[in-house]
Amino acid sequence: MNTKTIIRTEHPRHMHMVGDGFRVANYLPWYGKTMEDDIASPFIMLDYNAPWSIPPQKDGYRPGVGFHPHRGFETVTVVYSWEVEHQDTAGGGGVIGPDEVQWMTAGSGLLHNEFMTEKFSRAGGIQHAVQLWVNLPSKYKMVEPRYQALTRESIPEVDFSWWRVRVIAGEYDAIRWPAETFSPVELYDIRFDTEGEFTTTVPEWYTTAILITEGNIMIADKVYHHGDMIHFSKIGEGIRFTGNAGTKVLLMAGEPLWEPVAHYWPFVMNTEDEIRQAIQDYNAGKFERK
Ligand code: MN
């Protein structure tokens, strides 16, 4: 079997704040690229919130980000450590805790906010998470918004002798996360209990990348560190790397959509007309319904 080769590596970048609760480094689109370049389809954005310490807050203050819109794609929040509470205008809401994932389909659009829970804000603590944006195929861009709350118990785990794969989306070793995605997407939270080698296959022509969220890995005798993101070739199928005890890796793979991308910050559509429509609908308060 042909192995996918490394085509690009991204290293930790300078951080920026999203609201006052998220301290992230942006890895997708690639440096100097825009979403319109669509080089990692179906993935259009990845923000990594490396571990940082939030001090205890006073007087019930909760860091976070206030109401903002999304249309035309999905946001996938993978939490390693923190407790965040969200609310939206589609009537959804809830808490995402450690080792949980929220898969939000913005679809036709909603407004939502994301704040640390009262408990987390009062005590302070380590925040560590990833937010990945998955594009929607054009025929699904205007679907009804929905949430898939993946709790610790509901994420299937495939156990091997030295590592575990938590299957957030797609299928691993015949274990399938039952949630629906709108195009083929694989998302694995891989955790090494002891040093060992991880191998898997990803279909040829899929976009494939990994982000190291803890520890180090080795690929072909080269060491990659926490915060590195590695992009693999579409040619080939095999993925293989070695991790140390405690290493965590997020593997994302998906079938490219091969559709044009028009982007204006929280809206990701196919044409400029659709973007204008999104802005018009937003200004007309249409995201506040439901
Ligand atoms: Mn958001």
Side-chain angles (χ1 to χ4, degrees):
M1 186 208 324
N2 283 337
T3 302
K4 285 183 182 286
T5 54
I6 296 172
I7 52 171
R8 184 179 173 89
T9 56
E10 302 264 325
H11 304 290
R13 308 240 190 94
H14 65 270
M15 316 280 180
H16 69 273
M17 294 299 294
V18 176
D20 66 357
F22 310 97
R23 183 171 167 269
V24 302
N26 178 246
Y27 286 76
L28 278 178
W30 292 356
Y31 192 69
K33 299 286 182 188
T34 68
M35 278 186 210
E36 287 87 340
D37 294 320
D38 200 28
I39 39 187
S41 179
F43 310 112
I44 41 181
M45 196 211 71
L46 187 143
D47 269 350
Y48 179 44
N49 190 134
W52 73 302
S53 179
I54 297 194
Q57 306 292 312
K58 290 200 181 77
D59 304 324
Y61 186 77
R62 299 164 63 202
V65 56
F67 275 110
H68 58 277
H70 292 286
R71 172 181 280 184
F73 60 96
E74 300 182 290
T75 66
V76 181
T77 309
V78 179
V79 174
Y80 294 95
S81 171
W82 87 17
E83 210 176 67
V84 71
E85 192 168 359
H86 64 99
Q87 270 189 326
D88 71 65
T89 53
V95 172
I96 324 169
D99 297 329
E100 297 188 326
V101 176
Q102 181 203 61
W103 199 293
M104 182 186 88
T105 307
S108 61
L110 46 67
L111 304 178
H112 76 154
N113 62 26
E114 296 152 279
F115 288 103
M116 303 302 117
T117 58
E118 209 181 302
K119 190 175 131 217
F120 186 92
S121 302
R122 206 179 322 113
I126 300 292
Q127 196 193 67
H128 185 198
V130 172
Q131 190 168 84
L132 176 69
W133 289 11
V134 181
N135 206 356
L136 284 168
S138 66
K139 65 178 170 193
Y140 296 122
K141 280 195 175 289
M142 295 298 278
V143 294
E144 279 296 301
R146 74 165 186 208
Y147 288 92
Q148 300 178 75
L150 285 64
T151 58
R152 276 177 289 279
E153 298 73 37
S154 71
I155 298 173
E157 191 172 286
V158 189
D159 246 306
F160 288 83
S161 34
W162 47 82
W163 38 264
R164 293 169 281 145
V165 179
R166 301 173 74 238
V167 187
I168 300 168
E171 185 175 319
Y172 186 85
D173 199 40
I175 300 293
R176 189 164 181 84
W177 162 249
E180 201 187 322
T181 58
F182 290 89
S183 66
V185 172
E186 314 276 339
L187 190 61
Y188 309 152
D189 171 10
I190 303 158
R191 299 185 175 196
F192 287 81
D193 295 316
T194 56
E195 190 183 321
E197 188 185 55
F198 172 85
T199 59
T200 191
T201 58
V202 170
E204 193 149 49
W205 299 108
Y206 271 32
T207 294
T208 308
I210 58 177
L211 175 71
I212 304 166
T213 55
E214 201 168 316
N216 299 319
I217 65 166
M218 218 156 78
I219 302 177
D221 292 333
K222 194 167 182 307
V223 179
Y224 299 88
H225 304 277
H226 176 210
D228 288 344
M229 187 167 183
I230 301 161
H231 299 267
F232 293 93
S233 60
K234 291 192 166 57
I235 305 278
E237 294 183 317
I239 299 281
R240 171 186 298 267
F241 54 84
T242 308
N244 302 115
T247 292
K248 292 179 187 170
V249 172
L250 187 68
L251 184 150
M252 64 213 83
E255 190 176 75
L257 300 180
W258 308 117
E259 289 175 347
V261 173
H263 165 229
Y264 174 74
W265 175 59
F267 312 124
V268 184
M269 304 301 289
N270 300 113
T271 68
E272 288 302 321
D273 274 353
E274 289 167 346
I275 291 292
R276 274 190 286 275
Q277 187 64 52
I279 296 167
Q280 224 174 70
D281 290 351
Y282 173 63
N283 289 335
K286 287 194 183 163
F287 286 51
E288 284 153 45
R289 53 75 191 134
K290 292 167 186 174

